[in-house]
Amino acid sequence: MKLHPDQPLDLREVLADLEHYRPRRKGWAWRRHVPDQRVGPFVYRDTSAPLKNSVPLPAAGYFGGIDPQGDWVITTEIASGRFEDDLRRMRMAAWHGADHLMVIRTTGQSHVDGLLEGTPEGIGGVPVTRKQIRATRKTLDAVEDEVGRPINFHSYVSGLAGPEMAVLFAEEGVNGAHQDPQYNLLYRDINLHRSFVDAAEAKRVLADGGILQLDGAHNANATAKEAWKVTPELLVQHALNTAYSRAAGLPDALIALSTVPPTAPPAPKLRLDLPYAVALRELFAGVRFRAQQNTRYMEADTLEASVTHVLDTLISRLTSADIQSTITPDEGRNIPWHYNNIAGVNTARQTLLGLDGLEELVGLKRDAAFRAQVREVKERAVLFLEEILEQGYESAVAAGQFVDSGHYPERHGDGIVRDPAGGDGAGTVIERAPGYGAPVCSHFGDNVYGRGGEKPCAAYGGCTLCDPAKIVYIDELDPEDNVDRRLEQPLAERAAGLLRPEVEKHGDGIVCVTLFVPADPRTAEAAALELARHMGLAAPEVISRRVLHPAEGSVFEVKGVLDLALRAALLPGEERRELLPEAEIEAFARARDLRVVAATVGEDEHSVGIREILDIKHGGIEKYGFCCRYLGTSVPVERLLEAAAEEDACAVLLSTIVTHAGIHEQHMRRLDALARERGVRERLLLVAGGTQVTDAEARACGMDAGFGRGTTGREVASFLVGRLRDR
Ligand SMILES: Cc1ncc(COP(=O)(O)O)c(/C=N\CC[C@H](N)C(=O)O)c1O
């Protein structure tokens, strides 16, 4: 499946023939650091290779449209309930620099003791199923090709079906997964023994599948009442899961600690969070660090959340990380909306680039006071571990030692109490019979197969990890609750060219308006809702409110449903040029020695777009027989005309992306004026192109045509042939 930047994802193509889909690769992909990399006018210290296709940060236009990529993997976490909507969101996130995509599971899948199949709709997250994984991995294969970088797909092994989920992920090429038995026990009340026995099996499978494991310590931060006091426990939970993971055979390279800076302003964040962040990196040197952002102290204010997340990212840069995960700034108010996933990714991308080379500029002040803080959190953690060793892990759990909001060894007595013999799945751990034989080669513990050193599954004709042909693919189980039924309306509306606004699900019609109302908060809020109703928004709901002054007024964000579909074809805008059949274009062009000169003009370093129009690789005009000469970037307009004369060209293509102060219009007018001065205007077709260029504007500046964002080589070739054959 191949994606084209000017075409939306074709979900029918995604869903076609999933039965025979096989992942192209397995295992986790890190970004490769490129030392002292020049990107545009700058040399960077902490970057990796640029993308083939991407959306640069908004301010990139000032620097020639550059889009440097940091050297850490960036995560976005998607939660919707319909995987088919997540796929588009993943593509958007990848274009903004995310290469680790996590999709929250539907409520409580941890309690499902088995694999789900088909594509039922989820609540707050998707049911993880083989079909959902295949459709997603197949899409991400195509997205990888489109952006030019591997994309890590992430899911969750925790829960009663842990070992089965791990085998499913290893079979289907999932690249990362949460696995932490403490998560089951503490946060999902799944039986202790079941959780740890399953975890050994699951970790072994993850290890053999090259799947990066994230632990679950971040949940203690999200659950604790006074999160800055739970730092000793975070170290303890990391230690327990890391030790267990190593014992189960996971190499350190696949053990990622999920670390969250515990606090947020108005708390004195860095003073509280940095000593812990340093202690963590010192205690666990050698494993990977997956830095997450704080959700514990997150309200509905997206700006406030973003500032906290910038500070979290600063802590990552001041210490170290391998993955910078992001929390959407609206996670405190609703299921993340896709443009807030993108906002979260951009916060991390922007912050990390802004901090490029930070360690050359500042270092942590490691004076005695700071060292003492680092040591203290370590000492508290070691004491906690010693107490667990002394009383036994089961007793510690039964005594509610975990997620107590006291600052260990102080205790508040409000920890999570679990009965080691209780919980979901209690009494389901069965002693393995002496002749036990594992169903797949990856297995922790005794196995009657493979005792002679041969591949275990050789004894029974192969396993699903070694022979994918043995995988049983179940397509759908429910004739109603499946993706095909869900797609009927969205695809029908898309085919009819109908457009609806959306925030998380295709066609949900939800919009959000921001209103300031000059009154006391209660009056202002009532007015805001009423005003939204008058705008035609159904079911208006305030999702964020900020008092600017108790008497002067408050500002609100109000979401509501705009039940309206627009027909794209009827939208005002420049008429779409008719496209000539490709064979006709080629027949005309190849029979003549048609020469075109092109350049990116002014102080503009853009080349990707014009290259797409010229190069044969992306369907550029070369493919029809045009002979193209690209003069490069930052070319004076005069040079373009000189080259046109040298080449006896029939057309000049001027590429301009930078538009501040109308510089793009100046270039077009100058080209037209110079061509007239030199008496060649009538002979030459002058064409301008760029993301901000419109046909009307280009022609108003003396061009014969203008092409904007998403233009294809065929459109330009079609225009050129159309004009040339009329001569
Ligand atoms: C260790 C672990 N296992 C499973 C799940 C999910 O499993 P359920 O099906 O039980 O919700 C989670 C949830 N949090 C992950 C997202 C978080 N915001 C993150 O950034 O990591 C988890 O932490």
Side-chain angles (χ1 to χ4, degrees), residues 352-680:
L352 289 172
L353 289 172
L355 297 174
D356 183 80
L358 182 69
E359 61 190 28
E360 293 173 8
L361 305 170
V362 296
L364 286 178
K365 191 174 156 198
R366 295 178 181 269
D367 61 5
F370 186 79
R371 295 292 327 146
Q373 287 178 285
V374 172
R375 180 176 173 79
E376 183 190 343
V377 70
K378 291 179 184 177
E379 281 174 349
R380 290 174 183 268
V382 171
L383 283 171
F384 195 161
L385 279 169
E386 284 173 346
E387 182 177 354
I388 294 171
L389 278 173
E390 195 179 302
Q391 69 181 138
Y393 180 72
E394 293 190 17
S395 309
V397 168
Q401 289 283 26
F402 292 95
V403 200
D404 180 297
S405 58
H407 191 198
Y408 189 87
E410 295 99 51
R411 282 284 175 231
H412 279 187
D414 56 5
I416 297 174
V417 177
R418 295 292 183 219
D419 170 2
D424 207 350
T428 58
V429 175
I430 297 155
E431 189 78 23
R432 278 188 190 139
Y436 177 81
V440 290
C441 281
S442 292
H443 173 62
F444 180 85
D446 293 344
N447 186 356
V448 74
Y449 303 125
R451 284 187 172 157
E454 73 282 7
K455 203 156 54 151
C457 71
Y460 49 85
C463 74
T464 54
L465 296 180
C466 302
D467 175 6
K470 288 188 173 304
I471 294 171
V472 174
Y473 177 74
I474 299 168
D475 191 355
E476 289 294 353
L477 291 179
D478 187 314
E480 289 309 315
D481 187 1
N482 64 63
V483 62
D484 294 309
R485 302 284 291 145
R486 286 195 301 271
L487 281 178
E488 282 168 5
Q489 187 192 344
L491 293 186
E493 291 204 343
R494 170 167 284 177
L498 291 176
L499 295 172
R500 289 179 187 277
E502 61 173 83
V503 291
E504 71 181 72
K505 291 192 177 76
H506 193 120
D508 65 25
I510 298 173
V511 296
C512 187
V513 291
T514 302
L515 297 167
F516 171 82
V517 181
D520 64 276
R522 273 173 55 82
T523 307
E525 182 154 339
L529 286 168
E530 193 55 26
L531 288 163
R533 284 188 194 96
H534 284 275
M535 292 179 200
L537 299 189
E541 185 187 331
V542 170
I543 55 174
S544 165
R545 51 180 67 78
R546 198 148 186 179
V547 175
L548 303 189
H549 182 276
E552 297 299 350
S554 293
V555 62
F556 303 91
E557 289 180 86
V558 183
K559 77 172 181 180
V561 177
L562 180 60
D563 186 8
L564 177 66
L566 290 182
R567 200 169 288 283
L570 302 181
L571 290 175
E574 56 193 60
E575 80 286 352
R576 310 283 300 169
R577 286 194 182 83
E578 51 101 21
L579 284 180
L580 296 180
E582 295 204 88
E584 200 174 309
I585 297 171
E586 182 155 4
F588 182 88
R590 228 173 261 294
R592 296 161 176 80
D593 179 22
L594 296 178
R595 310 177 79 73
V596 170
V597 293
T600 304
V601 297
E603 282 75 47
D604 190 333
E605 284 302 305
H606 267 80
S607 60
V608 173
I610 181 70
R611 282 273 184 222
E612 302 272 307
I613 298 301
L614 300 175
D615 296 354
I616 198 163
K617 180 167 169 28
H618 295 289
I621 62 174
E622 277 182 329
K623 76 181 264 191
Y624 303 108
F626 283 93
C627 178
C628 303
R629 182 178 163 196
Y630 178 54
L631 303 177
T633 56
S634 298
V635 174
V637 166
E638 294 76 0
R639 181 77 199 92
L640 253 178
L641 288 177
E642 287 158 16
E646 291 159 13
E647 300 291 335
D648 188 20
C650 65
V652 169
L653 306 189
L654 175 152
S655 170
T656 174
I657 300 290
V658 174
T659 59
H660 62 269
I663 188 72
H664 60 313
E665 293 177 358
Q666 293 168 36
H667 293 318
M668 290 188 259
R669 294 185 200 285
R670 177 137 180 71
L671 180 63
D672 175 48
L674 269 180
R676 293 180 188 287
E677 276 170 35
R678 297 180 182 184
V680 296

Side-chain angles (χ1 to χ4, degrees), residues 77 102 104-111 156-158 178-180 183-184 188 214-219 258 290 292 295 325 327 331:
E77 191 179 335
M102 287 165 53
I104 289 294
R105 294 197 296 192
T106 192
T107 310
Q109 186 166 350
S110 280
H111 292 289
Y156 305 90
V157 167
S158 309
H178 278 74
Q179 207 299 320
D180 187 335
Y183 171 83
N184 287 3
R188 288 289 185 190
L214 297 191
D215 68 15
H218 55 274
N219 291 286
S258 198
R290 177 259 182 155
Q292 188 36 304
T295 47
S325 287
I327 295 290
E331 186 165 309

Side-chain angles (χ1 to χ4, degrees), residues 73-89:
V73 166
I74 291 182
T75 316
T76 193
E77 191 179 335
I78 290 168
S80 66
R82 293 182 183 172
F83 81 90
E84 64 273 23
D85 284 321
D86 298 340
L87 301 179
R88 302 176 296 139
R89 193 182 306 204

